[in-house]
Amino acid sequence: MASLSRVLRVAATCPRGRAARNLGLQPLATEARPTTEKSVPYQRTLKEEAQGASVGPQGPSQPLPSTANVVVIGGGSLGCQTLYHLAKLGVGGAVLLERERLTSGTTWHTAGLLWQLRPSDVEVELLAHTRRVVSRDLEEETGLHTGWIQNGGLFIASNRQRLNEYKRLMSLGKAYGIESHVLSPAETKNLYPLMNVDDLYGTLYVPQDGTMDPAGTCTTLTRAAAARGAQVIENCAVTGIRVRTDDFGVRRVAAVETEHGSIQTPCVVNCAGVWASKVGRMAGVKVPLVAMHHAYVVTERIEGIQNMPNVRDHDASVYLRLQGDALSVGGYEANPIFWEEVSDKFAFGLFDLDWDVFTQHIEGAINRVPVLEKTGIKSTVCGPESFTPDHKPLMGEAPELRGFFLGCGFNSAGMMLGGGCGQELAHWIVHGRPEKDMYSYDIRRFHHSLTDHTRWIRERSHESYAKNYSVVFPHDEPLAGRNMRRDPLHEELLGQGCVFQERQGWERPGWFNPQETAQVLDYDYYGAYGNQAHKDYTYSRLLGNDYTFDFPPHHHTIQKECLACRGAAAVFNMSYFGKFYLLGVDARKAADWLFSADVNRPPGSTVYTCMLNQRGGTESDLTVSRLAPGTQASPLAPAFEGDCYYLAVGGAVAQHNWSHINTVLQDQEFRCQLMDSSEDLGMLSIQGPASRDILQDVLDADLSNEAFPFSTHQLVRAAGHLVRAIRLSFVGELGWELHVPRASCLPVYRAVMAAGARHGLVNAGYRAIDSLSIEKGYRHWHADLRPDDSPLEAGLAFTCKLKTSVPFLGREALEKQRATGLRRRLVCLTVEEEVPMFGLEAIWRNGQVVGHVRRADFGFTMNKTIAYGYIRDPSGGPVSLDFVKNGEYALERMGVTYAAQVHLKSPFDPDNKRVKGIY
């Protein structure tokens, strides 16, 4: 067998495609073709299945039932976990259909690594559940060992930024009781004697990380599910999804079709992995993922490697998995191979390994564990994996088809996320919502214009793969798939130095750098696939300045935007906001049920409200403006009689809002419609002490407090153009939003800027909004307000009409929560020291960790770091106001604690004088 060093030498000297032949290995695949001749490092039964995969079609492993409550398609990690958790929830008649044998396709060849710490609190919780299932629950239930090995995990830091990232993970882990240690190079050497530590800054060691066995885990899961009445049917490929349309025109799942018969069912779960897109097409559902080759090699025996922890050397983009007395070596490269034509016949086969692509990982592995240089290669494993545009799984009910759920696109993490995600998916199906905040995984996060956009999916999925091991910085932005959705002011603001952010296809202002133009260029694939990498790329260079856990070089530029807003005025282009109209016969009933606040005030009123789920969690916060009836339709109002409401929601979550509202309307059978005018209207927000004086020169309306009170709206003319002006603020200042027809956006913006020139008006972006809003204590949905947070916990009880008798979605849950007491509460914490924080910091109270920071930023007016996070009482009791106030607090950032002051509400303008125009 070839040694790893020989692979490097041959790859360096041979023309492309000859390396494998000179090593005596199998020829490289010139195309993505499967082979079943590989030696695979798993149980004998899998090797036998691989060799027998081409025997020919067989019949189903057992007869198909005529009906089922749920049909899970795909017998990999997610399918088996979902079936198991459905059975645990008491779902009878759940069926799993697998076209070949369990684990075929992608699961059987996965490395099976489980790392407990990730830069996401939700993922930490999901991983913890997976670990409990495979290390404890299944063995207790079945008496079978899943193959779990707790050998620990070691993250390698070759630079200061990487070590800082690991220190952030360590601090977050303390909030969840996960043991971890930052080790010096010498301590690392003692733990892992075969490791080269000469170039290390340090490592993060997590003793209870480990390795899962795909076959053992899936077999045990299905046995446990079958014991509860679930069925597993192998050798039964799905050929179609039958759909019906109900009396309200809603498409719903009716049945699953196979070559061996059909199963009537109201619910299908697409856990088909790489093949999930094909299953989606059967049902008219878009599944945005791509298939790529992912590979590792298994070494010969290494003396002294036994019982060593698994290793992730992110900077070398390589992982080392303990494989008994050997190692599996793999990683993520910038030039992965796409599987262009996914084969239905592929089951337990593998691709030929392209050494020209894979060699880069060997160099990193040899540097980290030098003994590998003279270690032979026992086998190669190169199989298909599915990857998504944001490197997050695709889960939840598809917006196109009721009863069709997704559990796919796991980006090589299906084993370690499978337990947590399987549990959440089961809750989603049974209870209508997951228990945790799964928005980042919810298929409804993507705008519908993107989910079948081939170029966008391919570019973003490539970048996500290539950056899989990159440091996760708080203000990173993609370079792929940009300029998909641009508002009418895009070019105007670009010329004024706007540095854009991307949110669900929209280009929105991040901050302004008037010294240069930062055009976002077409994606260059980081120079891969024969593309020429961009040179002198201004946007990429400015983005690189944000690759830090310190304050970035443009920290003071953002400060100027914030202080200008507080001292004079700033204009924010918020055109990417979602803008919907809710109207129809039952519009008022729908509004009462959907919105937690009382929005049925006189036309001309605007209300800040939440939308909840049945568990009382917050699905959205938004503004709802009641309109007066009219016969003339325009972008600013449809023609209608009766009731109509204008909804403005954050653009990044507009699709989620749209889907949530439509789901509720369908479930309640309300006779009304939701109209989307997001592309037809722009939105400018002018905020600050001078905003009234500026706009008084632009608008043909009286803007006094008496004529235009806070939380009201009017149709007015701005520089001759009809607009809807709403007196609101997202930053805690006197100000108005102008909702402007698309064609009028540019002239209205220019008129505002001209009028504001003598008042000190400046452009400002969302980085400034983040700082200004946290300073005022305003919530950001999906940061300090999520679907598993109630308004009561978040300090938003004022948005709930609990003092009325009007029923609304989530009311019963809130009333129960109010009666039993809040088990956690959102608090504001300020730090006197000028220290950057971004979220995930541990919250200490009286020497105990009581939570972690959800959202943090620097408040320039207060000149303090401000953080928001939910705290719990370690005793398990309710979190009273006395508990909050009577404690000594500190925030832990990267292992260092900083004294903090707790507040029940923001200390900035606590009497709300500024929004009333009182300065």
Side-chain angles (χ1 to χ4, degrees), residues 421-444:
C421 288
Q423 181 186 49
E424 294 305 312
L425 197 48
H427 274 274
W428 222 322
I429 294 164
V430 174
H431 300 299
R433 282 301 307 162
E435 283 195 313
K436 303 186 190 307
D437 164 38
M438 299 298 287
Y439 168 74
S440 293
Y441 290 9
D442 192 338
I443 182 63
R444 302 180 304 174

PDB file of all heavy atoms in Angstrom, residues 421-444:
ATOM      1  N   CYS A 421     -32.242  16.659  15.665  1.00  0.00           N
ATOM      2  CA  CYS A 421     -33.132  17.077  14.586  1.00  0.00           C
ATOM      3  C   CYS A 421     -34.273  16.083  14.397  1.00  0.00           C
ATOM      4  O   CYS A 421     -35.393  16.478  14.065  1.00  0.00           O
ATOM      5  CB  CYS A 421     -32.338  17.237  13.297  1.00  0.00           C
ATOM      6  SG  CYS A 421     -31.258  18.682  13.304  1.00  0.00           S
ATOM      7  N   GLY A 422     -34.009  14.796  14.598  1.00  0.00           N
ATOM      8  CA  GLY A 422     -35.083  13.822  14.518  1.00  0.00           C
ATOM      9  C   GLY A 422     -36.145  14.071  15.569  1.00  0.00           C
ATOM     10  O   GLY A 422     -37.352  13.944  15.312  1.00  0.00           O
ATOM     11  N   GLN A 423     -35.709  14.432  16.768  1.00  0.00           N
ATOM     12  CA  GLN A 423     -36.665  14.748  17.830  1.00  0.00           C
ATOM     13  C   GLN A 423     -37.490  15.985  17.475  1.00  0.00           C
ATOM     14  O   GLN A 423     -38.721  16.000  17.639  1.00  0.00           O
ATOM     15  CB  GLN A 423     -35.932  14.972  19.145  1.00  0.00           C
ATOM     16  CG  GLN A 423     -36.859  15.283  20.310  1.00  0.00           C
ATOM     17  CD  GLN A 423     -36.116  15.650  21.579  1.00  0.00           C
ATOM     18  OE1 GLN A 423     -35.223  16.487  21.578  1.00  0.00           O
ATOM     19  NE2 GLN A 423     -36.471  15.002  22.674  1.00  0.00           N
ATOM     20  N   GLU A 424     -36.828  17.031  16.994  1.00  0.00           N
ATOM     21  CA  GLU A 424     -37.546  18.255  16.659  1.00  0.00           C
ATOM     22  C   GLU A 424     -38.499  18.042  15.496  1.00  0.00           C
ATOM     23  O   GLU A 424     -39.613  18.582  15.475  1.00  0.00           O
ATOM     24  CB  GLU A 424     -36.550  19.373  16.339  1.00  0.00           C
ATOM     25  CG  GLU A 424     -35.700  19.808  17.522  1.00  0.00           C
ATOM     26  CD  GLU A 424     -36.526  20.211  18.734  1.00  0.00           C
ATOM     27  OE1 GLU A 424     -37.492  20.992  18.565  1.00  0.00           O
ATOM     28  OE2 GLU A 424     -36.233  19.734  19.839  1.00  0.00           O
ATOM     29  N   LEU A 425     -38.072  17.255  14.516  1.00  0.00           N
ATOM     30  CA  LEU A 425     -38.936  16.995  13.368  1.00  0.00           C
ATOM     31  C   LEU A 425     -40.177  16.213  13.794  1.00  0.00           C
ATOM     32  O   LEU A 425     -41.297  16.479  13.322  1.00  0.00           O
ATOM     33  CB  LEU A 425     -38.145  16.218  12.313  1.00  0.00           C
ATOM     34  CG  LEU A 425     -38.694  16.162  10.891  1.00  0.00           C
ATOM     35  CD1 LEU A 425     -39.101  17.539  10.386  1.00  0.00           C
ATOM     36  CD2 LEU A 425     -37.657  15.534   9.969  1.00  0.00           C
ATOM     37  N   ALA A 426     -39.998  15.276  14.707  1.00  0.00           N
ATOM     38  CA  ALA A 426     -41.149  14.524  15.221  1.00  0.00           C
ATOM     39  C   ALA A 426     -42.117  15.452  15.945  1.00  0.00           C
ATOM     40  O   ALA A 426     -43.346  15.353  15.767  1.00  0.00           O
ATOM     41  CB  ALA A 426     -40.665  13.412  16.148  1.00  0.00           C
ATOM     42  N   HIS A 427     -41.602  16.365  16.759  1.00  0.00           N
ATOM     43  CA  HIS A 427     -42.467  17.341  17.437  1.00  0.00           C
ATOM     44  C   HIS A 427     -43.172  18.235  16.423  1.00  0.00           C
ATOM     45  O   HIS A 427     -44.345  18.593  16.597  1.00  0.00           O
ATOM     46  CB  HIS A 427     -41.642  18.186  18.406  1.00  0.00           C
ATOM     47  CG  HIS A 427     -41.481  17.561  19.758  1.00  0.00           C
ATOM     48  ND1 HIS A 427     -42.406  17.712  20.769  1.00  0.00           N
ATOM     49  CD2 HIS A 427     -40.506  16.767  20.264  1.00  0.00           C
ATOM     50  CE1 HIS A 427     -42.011  17.051  21.841  1.00  0.00           C
ATOM     51  NE2 HIS A 427     -40.863  16.470  21.561  1.00  0.00           N
ATOM     52  N   TRP A 428     -42.472  18.619  15.393  1.00  0.00           N
ATOM     53  CA  TRP A 428     -43.036  19.458  14.339  1.00  0.00           C
ATOM     54  C   TRP A 428     -44.260  18.780  13.734  1.00  0.00           C
ATOM     55  O   TRP A 428     -45.304  19.396  13.512  1.00  0.00           O
ATOM     56  CB  TRP A 428     -41.984  19.660  13.248  1.00  0.00           C
ATOM     57  CG  TRP A 428     -41.869  21.029  12.685  1.00  0.00           C
ATOM     58  CD1 TRP A 428     -42.886  21.900  12.419  1.00  0.00           C
ATOM     59  CD2 TRP A 428     -40.660  21.680  12.299  1.00  0.00           C
ATOM     60  NE1 TRP A 428     -42.377  23.058  11.880  1.00  0.00           N
ATOM     61  CE2 TRP A 428     -41.019  22.949  11.797  1.00  0.00           C
ATOM     62  CE3 TRP A 428     -39.326  21.329  12.311  1.00  0.00           C
ATOM     63  CZ2 TRP A 428     -40.074  23.850  11.306  1.00  0.00           C
ATOM     64  CZ3 TRP A 428     -38.384  22.224  11.829  1.00  0.00           C
ATOM     65  CH2 TRP A 428     -38.748  23.473  11.344  1.00  0.00           C
ATOM     66  N   ILE A 429     -44.118  17.493  13.443  1.00  0.00           N
ATOM     67  CA  ILE A 429     -45.191  16.740  12.803  1.00  0.00           C
ATOM     68  C   ILE A 429     -46.366  16.548  13.757  1.00  0.00           C
ATOM     69  O   ILE A 429     -47.528  16.744  13.374  1.00  0.00           O
ATOM     70  CB  ILE A 429     -44.647  15.379  12.321  1.00  0.00           C
ATOM     71  CG1 ILE A 429     -43.623  15.590  11.201  1.00  0.00           C
ATOM     72  CG2 ILE A 429     -45.773  14.463  11.869  1.00  0.00           C
ATOM     73  CD1 ILE A 429     -42.764  14.379  10.920  1.00  0.00           C
ATOM     74  N   VAL A 430     -46.082  16.187  14.993  1.00  0.00           N
ATOM     75  CA  VAL A 430     -47.139  15.835  15.943  1.00  0.00           C
ATOM     76  C   VAL A 430     -47.812  17.068  16.537  1.00  0.00           C
ATOM     77  O   VAL A 430     -49.046  17.132  16.661  1.00  0.00           O
ATOM     78  CB  VAL A 430     -46.558  14.951  17.064  1.00  0.00           C
ATOM     79  CG1 VAL A 430     -47.610  14.692  18.147  1.00  0.00           C
ATOM     80  CG2 VAL A 430     -46.051  13.632  16.494  1.00  0.00           C
ATOM     81  N   HIS A 431     -47.010  18.078  16.901  1.00  0.00           N
ATOM     82  CA  HIS A 431     -47.540  19.230  17.635  1.00  0.00           C
ATOM     83  C   HIS A 431     -47.615  20.513  16.806  1.00  0.00           C
ATOM     84  O   HIS A 431     -48.037  21.551  17.324  1.00  0.00           O
ATOM     85  CB  HIS A 431     -46.686  19.489  18.879  1.00  0.00           C
ATOM     86  CG  HIS A 431     -46.648  18.336  19.839  1.00  0.00           C
ATOM     87  ND1 HIS A 431     -47.779  17.852  20.452  1.00  0.00           N
ATOM     88  CD2 HIS A 431     -45.619  17.566  20.272  1.00  0.00           C
ATOM     89  CE1 HIS A 431     -47.452  16.833  21.234  1.00  0.00           C
ATOM     90  NE2 HIS A 431     -46.151  16.635  21.137  1.00  0.00           N
ATOM     91  N   GLY A 432     -47.217  20.443  15.553  1.00  0.00           N
ATOM     92  CA  GLY A 432     -47.303  21.613  14.697  1.00  0.00           C
ATOM     93  C   GLY A 432     -46.116  22.543  14.772  1.00  0.00           C
ATOM     94  O   GLY A 432     -45.953  23.417  13.912  1.00  0.00           O
ATOM     95  N   ARG A 433     -45.266  22.398  15.781  1.00  0.00           N
ATOM     96  CA  ARG A 433     -44.074  23.223  15.936  1.00  0.00           C
ATOM     97  C   ARG A 433     -43.003  22.394  16.648  1.00  0.00           C
ATOM     98  O   ARG A 433     -43.328  21.526  17.475  1.00  0.00           O
ATOM     99  CB  ARG A 433     -44.348  24.466  16.793  1.00  0.00           C
ATOM    100  CG  ARG A 433     -45.063  25.574  16.101  1.00  0.00           C
ATOM    101  CD  ARG A 433     -44.330  26.086  14.886  1.00  0.00           C
ATOM    102  NE  ARG A 433     -42.941  26.452  15.153  1.00  0.00           N
ATOM    103  CZ  ARG A 433     -42.007  26.597  14.209  1.00  0.00           C
ATOM    104  NH1 ARG A 433     -42.302  26.366  12.949  1.00  0.00           N
ATOM    105  NH2 ARG A 433     -40.800  26.957  14.527  1.00  0.00           N
ATOM    106  N   PRO A 434     -41.734  22.641  16.361  1.00  0.00           N
ATOM    107  CA  PRO A 434     -40.676  21.994  17.141  1.00  0.00           C
ATOM    108  C   PRO A 434     -40.605  22.596  18.533  1.00  0.00           C
ATOM    109  O   PRO A 434     -41.157  23.670  18.789  1.00  0.00           O
ATOM    110  CB  PRO A 434     -39.401  22.306  16.340  1.00  0.00           C
ATOM    111  CG  PRO A 434     -39.714  23.576  15.616  1.00  0.00           C
ATOM    112  CD  PRO A 434     -41.182  23.524  15.306  1.00  0.00           C
ATOM    113  N   GLU A 435     -39.931  21.917  19.435  1.00  0.00           N
ATOM    114  CA  GLU A 435     -39.770  22.443  20.790  1.00  0.00           C
ATOM    115  C   GLU A 435     -38.754  23.571  20.830  1.00  0.00           C
ATOM    116  O   GLU A 435     -38.903  24.533  21.582  1.00  0.00           O
ATOM    117  CB  GLU A 435     -39.331  21.324  21.735  1.00  0.00           C
ATOM    118  CG  GLU A 435     -40.457  20.392  22.146  1.00  0.00           C
ATOM    119  CD  GLU A 435     -40.063  19.540  23.333  1.00  0.00           C
ATOM    120  OE1 GLU A 435     -38.960  18.975  23.322  1.00  0.00           O
ATOM    121  OE2 GLU A 435     -40.871  19.443  24.275  1.00  0.00           O
ATOM    122  N   LYS A 436     -37.692  23.457  20.042  1.00  0.00           N
ATOM    123  CA  LYS A 436     -36.612  24.444  20.062  1.00  0.00           C
ATOM    124  C   LYS A 436     -36.783  25.445  18.920  1.00  0.00           C
ATOM    125  O   LYS A 436     -37.654  25.292  18.055  1.00  0.00           O
ATOM    126  CB  LYS A 436     -35.259  23.735  19.941  1.00  0.00           C
ATOM    127  CG  LYS A 436     -35.000  22.692  21.012  1.00  0.00           C
ATOM    128  CD  LYS A 436     -33.595  22.143  20.915  1.00  0.00           C
ATOM    129  CE  LYS A 436     -33.408  20.936  21.814  1.00  0.00           C
ATOM    130  NZ  LYS A 436     -33.812  21.192  23.206  1.00  0.00           N
ATOM    131  N   ASP A 437     -35.942  26.440  18.913  1.00  0.00           N
ATOM    132  CA  ASP A 437     -35.917  27.406  17.819  1.00  0.00           C
ATOM    133  C   ASP A 437     -35.217  26.756  16.628  1.00  0.00           C
ATOM    134  O   ASP A 437     -33.997  26.638  16.607  1.00  0.00           O
ATOM    135  CB  ASP A 437     -35.169  28.670  18.244  1.00  0.00           C
ATOM    136  CG  ASP A 437     -34.790  29.529  17.048  1.00  0.00           C
ATOM    137  OD1 ASP A 437     -35.608  29.606  16.113  1.00  0.00           O
ATOM    138  OD2 ASP A 437     -33.677  30.087  17.043  1.00  0.00           O
ATOM    139  N   MET A 438     -35.969  26.358  15.637  1.00  0.00           N
ATOM    140  CA  MET A 438     -35.405  25.691  14.464  1.00  0.00           C
ATOM    141  C   MET A 438     -35.470  26.568  13.223  1.00  0.00           C
ATOM    142  O   MET A 438     -35.367  26.075  12.096  1.00  0.00           O
ATOM    143  CB  MET A 438     -36.146  24.373  14.224  1.00  0.00           C
ATOM    144  CG  MET A 438     -36.044  23.376  15.370  1.00  0.00           C
ATOM    145  SD  MET A 438     -34.343  22.847  15.681  1.00  0.00           S
ATOM    146  CE  MET A 438     -34.059  21.799  14.267  1.00  0.00           C
ATOM    147  N   TYR A 439     -35.609  27.885  13.422  1.00  0.00           N
ATOM    148  CA  TYR A 439     -35.737  28.765  12.253  1.00  0.00           C
ATOM    149  C   TYR A 439     -34.554  28.620  11.303  1.00  0.00           C
ATOM    150  O   TYR A 439     -34.729  28.615  10.076  1.00  0.00           O
ATOM    151  CB  TYR A 439     -35.873  30.227  12.686  1.00  0.00           C
ATOM    152  CG  TYR A 439     -35.713  31.172  11.518  1.00  0.00           C
ATOM    153  CD1 TYR A 439     -36.734  31.316  10.576  1.00  0.00           C
ATOM    154  CD2 TYR A 439     -34.538  31.887  11.318  1.00  0.00           C
ATOM    155  CE1 TYR A 439     -36.589  32.153   9.479  1.00  0.00           C
ATOM    156  CE2 TYR A 439     -34.381  32.719  10.226  1.00  0.00           C
ATOM    157  CZ  TYR A 439     -35.406  32.847   9.309  1.00  0.00           C
ATOM    158  OH  TYR A 439     -35.249  33.667   8.224  1.00  0.00           O
ATOM    159  N   SER A 440     -33.332  28.510  11.827  1.00  0.00           N
ATOM    160  CA  SER A 440     -32.155  28.432  10.968  1.00  0.00           C
ATOM    161  C   SER A 440     -32.153  27.184  10.104  1.00  0.00           C
ATOM    162  O   SER A 440     -31.408  27.112   9.128  1.00  0.00           O
ATOM    163  CB  SER A 440     -30.873  28.469  11.813  1.00  0.00           C
ATOM    164  OG  SER A 440     -30.712  29.711  12.445  1.00  0.00           O
ATOM    165  N   TYR A 441     -32.971  26.184  10.472  1.00  0.00           N
ATOM    166  CA  TYR A 441     -33.077  24.961   9.691  1.00  0.00           C
ATOM    167  C   TYR A 441     -34.372  24.897   8.881  1.00  0.00           C
ATOM    168  O   TYR A 441     -34.513  24.056   8.002  1.00  0.00           O
ATOM    169  CB  TYR A 441     -33.044  23.739  10.624  1.00  0.00           C
ATOM    170  CG  TYR A 441     -31.716  23.458  11.291  1.00  0.00           C
ATOM    171  CD1 TYR A 441     -30.644  24.341  11.230  1.00  0.00           C
ATOM    172  CD2 TYR A 441     -31.529  22.284  12.015  1.00  0.00           C
ATOM    173  CE1 TYR A 441     -29.443  24.073  11.851  1.00  0.00           C
ATOM    174  CE2 TYR A 441     -30.326  21.994  12.644  1.00  0.00           C
ATOM    175  CZ  TYR A 441     -29.286  22.902  12.556  1.00  0.00           C
ATOM    176  OH  TYR A 441     -28.091  22.633  13.172  1.00  0.00           O
ATOM    177  N   ASP A 442     -35.315  25.754   9.191  1.00  0.00           N
ATOM    178  CA  ASP A 442     -36.649  25.712   8.587  1.00  0.00           C
ATOM    179  C   ASP A 442     -36.546  26.053   7.101  1.00  0.00           C
ATOM    180  O   ASP A 442     -35.997  27.099   6.726  1.00  0.00           O
ATOM    181  CB  ASP A 442     -37.552  26.720   9.308  1.00  0.00           C
ATOM    182  CG  ASP A 442     -39.017  26.568   8.958  1.00  0.00           C
ATOM    183  OD1 ASP A 442     -39.325  26.010   7.894  1.00  0.00           O
ATOM    184  OD2 ASP A 442     -39.859  27.020   9.763  1.00  0.00           O
ATOM    185  N   ILE A 443     -37.088  25.202   6.248  1.00  0.00           N
ATOM    186  CA  ILE A 443     -37.055  25.451   4.806  1.00  0.00           C
ATOM    187  C   ILE A 443     -37.695  26.787   4.463  1.00  0.00           C
ATOM    188  O   ILE A 443     -37.346  27.423   3.455  1.00  0.00           O
ATOM    189  CB  ILE A 443     -37.760  24.290   4.046  1.00  0.00           C
ATOM    190  CG1 ILE A 443     -37.698  24.495   2.529  1.00  0.00           C
ATOM    191  CG2 ILE A 443     -39.203  24.143   4.495  1.00  0.00           C
ATOM    192  CD1 ILE A 443     -36.297  24.504   1.962  1.00  0.00           C
ATOM    193  N   ARG A 444     -38.587  27.267   5.326  1.00  0.00           N
ATOM    194  CA  ARG A 444     -39.275  28.536   5.057  1.00  0.00           C
ATOM    195  C   ARG A 444     -38.388  29.748   5.269  1.00  0.00           C
ATOM    196  O   ARG A 444     -38.836  30.876   5.066  1.00  0.00           O
ATOM    197  CB  ARG A 444     -40.522  28.636   5.934  1.00  0.00           C
ATOM    198  CG  ARG A 444     -41.513  27.507   5.737  1.00  0.00           C
ATOM    199  CD  ARG A 444     -42.731  27.643   6.635  1.00  0.00           C
ATOM    200  NE  ARG A 444     -42.372  27.730   8.040  1.00  0.00           N
ATOM    201  CZ  ARG A 444     -43.240  27.965   9.013  1.00  0.00           C
ATOM    202  NH1 ARG A 444     -44.519  28.156   8.725  1.00  0.00           N
ATOM    203  NH2 ARG A 444     -42.853  28.013  10.261  1.00  0.00           N
TER     204      ARG A 444
END
